[in-house]
Amino acid sequence: QVLCHTTDASPWGLGAVLTRQGTPIAWLADKIHPEDLDRFSATLGDSAFTTTWEALTILVALRAWTPMFSPTNRFALRSDSLGALSAISKSASPSKGLSLILQEIALDEAGQVWGFDALTHIPGVSNTLADPLSRLHAPDAKTIPVSLTTVPRTMVPHRIGNWWATTARQPR
């Protein structure tokens, strides 16, 4: 059974939707915390870090929803970030911040039975559920899409301490 993660990030937050056969079954949203900014030597609201936040959203979604996977699950990953998808498909990036996130994904994947079924780029304008979730904490905040109001929200832990398997602060 293929589950689909659709993710998005903004310079203020992270958003993702988990679907099964096109139907949302869970969603998450979180702001970019001061600890995230410190770890990646980033500035809140600076679009130069968007690819880093896109990759971080993918990692957060994987960690949040892995308990929902069964041994037979495969999942598709959809994002409007070519940079994040490219880095994941190659398992490499010249960016230190992206490299840190890729290391975390590789460590997680090594201990799991799940795998990527497909990595798909989607146009930003079609990312109608994850995009507003990533902007819940933006200066011009969006609202939770109506179609998700009856879907369970997955709360994500604060990304501090042992949330990270790697501990070094990674500058851009």
Side-chain angles (χ1 to χ4, degrees), residues 6-23:
T6 302
T7 63
D8 196 25
S10 75
W12 302 275
L14 319 173
V17 178
L18 181 65
T19 58
R20 180 182 294 123
Q21 299 174 338
T23 301

Side-chain angles (χ1 to χ4, degrees), residues 21-36:
Q21 299 174 338
T23 301
I25 58 172
W27 63 273
L28 63 83
D30 199 14
K31 67 180 182 177
I32 295 172
H33 296 277
E35 294 83 4
D36 299 323

Side-chain angles (χ1 to χ4, degrees), residues 121-166:
H121 176 258
I122 58 174
V125 296
S126 70
N127 204 354
T128 58
L129 297 179
D131 178 77
L133 296 175
S134 75
R135 297 176 183 280
L136 295 179
H137 301 281
D140 58 340
K142 304 285 185 189
T143 58
I144 297 166
V146 172
S147 61
L148 294 178
T149 57
T150 60
V151 175
R153 180 177 185 172
T154 303
M155 300 306 291
V156 294
H158 209 70
R159 292 172 292 282
I160 57 173
N162 65 359
W163 191 89
W164 294 97
T166 56

